[in-house]
Amino acid sequence: MKRLILLLTIFSISHAAFSQEKETSNKKEIKQILTTFMDCLIKKDSVKFYSLFHNEPTVWVGVFKEKTQQNRLSKDSTKKGNFTSTYQKFFRSIFDTGAYEEKFYNLNIDEDGSIASATFDYSYWKDKKKINWGKESWGLVKIDGHWKIMSIIFSVEFESINPEPIKK
């Protein structure tokens, strides 16, 4: 009986350790996708950037935060509070003159091995000047052993309208 309990205990511990290792591996892979995404903006590498996304239509939605939207409305009362795009259009927009970078922090990843969500704070920079900041959320799926981005939704606050609070 003692041997059976010992074997069951060892099995339980090794199973729990394996499960945590797999979760850590998935989170590490997802963190690498975020790092690659940011690196592709700096290097303007469209081939690698496009490979991060699922080949089906993806969701790309930005929503203006209240202070930025109020400022936009003061100049044009017909301005919508959100916009949609595609990752291809976004990437093409950074090919004008200038250096672009996105920084992320306060990353939280929730995944079950097949689907994942990654939420984080971000700031978007052009020529070393912060343009906007907000919260970003990605939906990811694991297809044929590879994580792919299915959706990106984010809030937008213009730094010139409402500077990002200093993080402690």
Side-chain angles (χ1 to χ4, degrees), residues 34 37-39 41-42 100-106 120-126 128-130 132-136 164:
L34 269 83
F37 180 100
M38 306 310 171
D39 192 48
L41 297 182
I42 294 168
Y100 291 89
E101 182 177 9
E102 185 173 348
K103 299 176 183 180
F104 66 94
Y105 34 94
N106 299 328
F120 50 92
D121 296 321
Y122 80 93
S123 56
Y124 190 70
W125 300 70
K126 180 179 180 185
K128 301 186 186 283
K129 180 181 177 191
K130 189 186 305 181
N132 61 279
W133 58 274
K135 181 70 97 178
E136 198 162 324
E164 182 176 16

Side-chain angles (χ1 to χ4, degrees), residues 146-162:
H146 301 282
W147 287 102
K148 298 292 182 177
I149 303 167
M150 284 295 300
S151 66
I152 294 182
I153 58 173
F154 56 100
S155 61
V156 179
E157 188 80 272
F158 291 148
E159 182 71 7
S160 62
I161 305 298
N162 185 24

Side-chain angles (χ1 to χ4, degrees), residues 3-35:
R3 285 186 182 184
L4 179 60
I5 292 173
L6 180 62
L7 285 173
L8 288 173
T9 302
I10 291 171
F11 176 76
S12 295
I13 291 170
S14 65
H15 185 267
F18 177 75
S19 296
Q20 285 185 339
E21 184 178 310
K22 184 175 180 183
E23 179 179 333
T24 301
S25 174
N26 282 323
K27 287 185 178 184
K28 188 183 278 188
E29 290 172 20
I30 293 166
K31 286 179 184 177
Q32 183 58 50
I33 290 173
L34 269 83
T35 301

Side-chain angles (χ1 to χ4, degrees), residues 54-112:
H54 191 265
N55 60 0
E56 297 298 322
T58 58
V59 174
W60 189 286
V61 178
V63 178
F64 293 102
K65 292 176 70 79
E66 186 175 344
K67 288 183 180 179
T68 291
Q69 179 60 6
Q70 289 305 317
N71 181 272
R72 294 172 77 243
L73 289 171
S74 72
K75 297 172 184 171
D76 180 350
S77 63
T78 64
K79 293 276 189 181
K80 288 176 39 177
N82 62 75
F83 62 93
T84 60
S85 191
T86 66
Y87 64 88
Q88 297 96 334
K89 286 180 186 175
F90 166 74
F91 199 82
R92 284 192 295 268
S93 75
I94 69 166
F95 269 87
D96 69 358
T97 57
Y100 291 89
E101 182 177 9
E102 185 173 348
K103 299 176 183 180
F104 66 94
Y105 34 94
N106 299 328
L107 175 63
N108 182 41
I109 297 172
D110 188 24
E111 58 85 20
D112 72 356

